[in-house]
Amino acid sequence: MISIEIPVVHGKYLNEVFESIRSQTYQDFEVIITNSGGEEISDLIKQYGFKEVKAITRLLNARYLAHLESKGEFSLILDETRILRRDALSVLSALNHDMVIIGEQEIGNTFWLKLANLDKENIVECNSIDTVKWFVLPRFFRREILDKAFNKLKENLKDKFDKIVFPDHVLIYYEARKESDDVFLLKDKLIFHYGDATLFQIIKKYHRYGKSLKMSIGTPYHNLVTINRTKRNVCLGNKILLYLLYLARGIPFLIGYLLL
């Protein structure tokens, strides 16, 4: 069985996410939602018959709480902005790896979304597999690998564990990779993302990420997101436009990190 684990705060795209799960060709799954939002989200979860964990918490802990309630042999860590292709679980169920990086595509045609899609293509096509793993992170984990990663993060982060928003996914993979080298890159686009369609959305998100990164100061993970780790090769499309995207993300990130 596959456990689909989703932290939810806003619920804007949740109906589409749930519909994409319910319509899967592979039906041996369970869905666990950590609800940090309101009663409308609870009502929707009940309507679909999924399992709910109510907790006002940050992203890393929300993922952990959902995982605690899961029972599947494999876990798919999803988000409330990501929908699944109809055969996604069927494709994943046929694999037998400890971790799987899954191809994704942005939904929409704005200038910034087109750049985000181009960035994803460059990450996969123009970088070594080790570099790819730091940007396009695994979402599909063998259960025991994810168990060990969460336990180690709780041990190392202590009281900061339930305050982390970013880099939640990087932290999970960082510890999971210590447990196994079995990481498979699946370029097939099984996940579609409602991403940052405007410059304002990019600035808002990455400023929040920069502020959250401060929480890693004084922990074993304080150097996890560095310039060396975030450096990538570009071989497709217009480099100048891609660098514009990186600036749009990087400047508010640094401001959020450096300023009080």
Side-chain angles (χ1 to χ4, degrees), residues 34-49:
T34 300
N35 180 10
S36 298
E39 286 305 312
E40 289 184 2
I41 293 172
S42 289
D43 292 342
L44 188 61
I45 294 170
K46 291 173 185 174
Q47 178 183 328
Y48 280 84

Side-chain angles (χ1 to χ4, degrees), residues 1 10 27 47 49 52-53 76 81 100 111 120 141 145 163 172 174 178 184 188 190-191 194 200 209 242-243 251:
M1 182 171 66
H10 306 294
Q27 287 288 305
Q47 178 183 328
E52 179 183 26
V53 180
L76 175 61
T81 56
V100 180
F111 173 75
K120 284 180 168 61
F141 291 84
I145 298 297
K163 299 179 177 65
I172 291 169
Y174 180 75
K178 293 179 182 179
F184 180 70
D188 202 7
L190 303 182
I191 296 177
Y194 286 102
F200 175 75
Y209 282 178
L242 273 177
Y243 292 147
I251 292 173

Side-chain angles (χ1 to χ4, degrees), residues 217-230:
I217 296 174
T219 77
Y221 310 109
H222 69 282
N223 288 325
L224 200 56
V225 181
T226 64
I227 291 176
N228 284 337
R229 286 194 184 276
T230 56

Side-chain angles (χ1 to χ4, degrees), residues 8-201:
V8 174
V9 177
H10 306 294
K12 181 178 179 181
Y13 303 107
L14 207 52
N15 193 73
E16 288 138 287
V17 174
F18 286 179
E19 278 297 317
S20 78
I21 294 171
R22 185 164 69 175
S23 64
Q24 287 294 299
T25 56
Y26 180 89
Q27 287 288 305
D28 188 14
F29 65 81
E30 63 174 355
V31 182
I32 307 96
I33 313 294
T34 300
N35 180 10
S36 298
E39 286 305 312
E40 289 184 2
I41 293 172
S42 289
D43 292 342
L44 188 61
I45 294 170
K46 291 173 185 174
Q47 178 183 328
Y48 280 84
F50 297 154
K51 187 181 297 184
E52 179 183 26
V53 180
K54 288 187 177 181
I56 306 301
T57 188
R58 302 291 185 177
L59 191 54
L60 180 61
N61 191 47
R63 295 196 190 281
Y64 172 69
L65 293 175
H67 185 65
L68 279 181
E69 296 298 319
S70 70
K71 296 180 174 63
E73 181 186 358
F74 290 92
S75 293
L76 175 61
I77 57 173
L78 209 56
D79 294 291
E80 60 178 310
T81 56
R82 285 174 163 85
I83 64 175
L84 297 177
R85 202 174 78 185
R86 192 165 181 268
D87 62 341
L89 297 185
S90 180
V91 172
L92 292 171
S93 69
L95 302 177
N96 188 29
H97 297 278
D98 288 341
M99 291 166 274
V100 180
I101 299 168
I102 304 168
E104 298 191 18
Q105 182 172 317
E106 301 293 323
I107 299 172
N109 285 307
T110 73
F111 173 75
W112 297 104
L113 290 173
K114 288 178 180 178
L115 287 186
N117 274 324
L118 180 59
D119 181 43
K120 284 180 168 61
E121 292 295 325
N122 272 278
I123 289 169
V124 172
E125 301 296 340
C126 310
N127 294 268
S128 70
I129 187 66
D130 284 331
T131 304
V132 166
K133 290 173 186 174
W134 285 113
F135 294 105
V136 186
L137 298 160
R139 287 191 174 274
F140 194 65
F141 291 84
R142 194 179 300 278
R143 178 180 187 83
E144 54 263 34
I145 298 297
L146 198 51
D147 286 345
K148 292 176 181 178
F150 275 128
N151 289 337
K152 196 64 179 179
L153 288 170
K154 282 186 67 67
E155 176 186 336
N156 288 338
L157 289 169
K158 299 181 173 61
D159 61 330
K160 294 183 177 182
F161 182 84
D162 63 354
K163 299 179 177 65
I164 297 289
V165 174
F166 176 87
D168 66 303
H169 205 161
V170 175
L171 290 169
I172 291 169
Y173 174 63
Y174 180 75
E175 289 296 347
R177 185 67 191 277
K178 293 179 182 179
E179 302 297 330
S180 173
D181 289 327
D182 181 19
V183 185
F184 180 70
L185 172 61
L186 179 67
K187 293 183 181 181
D188 202 7
K189 294 179 176 63
L190 303 182
I191 296 177
F192 300 91
H193 178 221
Y194 286 102
D196 305 314
T198 68
L199 180 60
F200 175 75
Q201 289 175 322

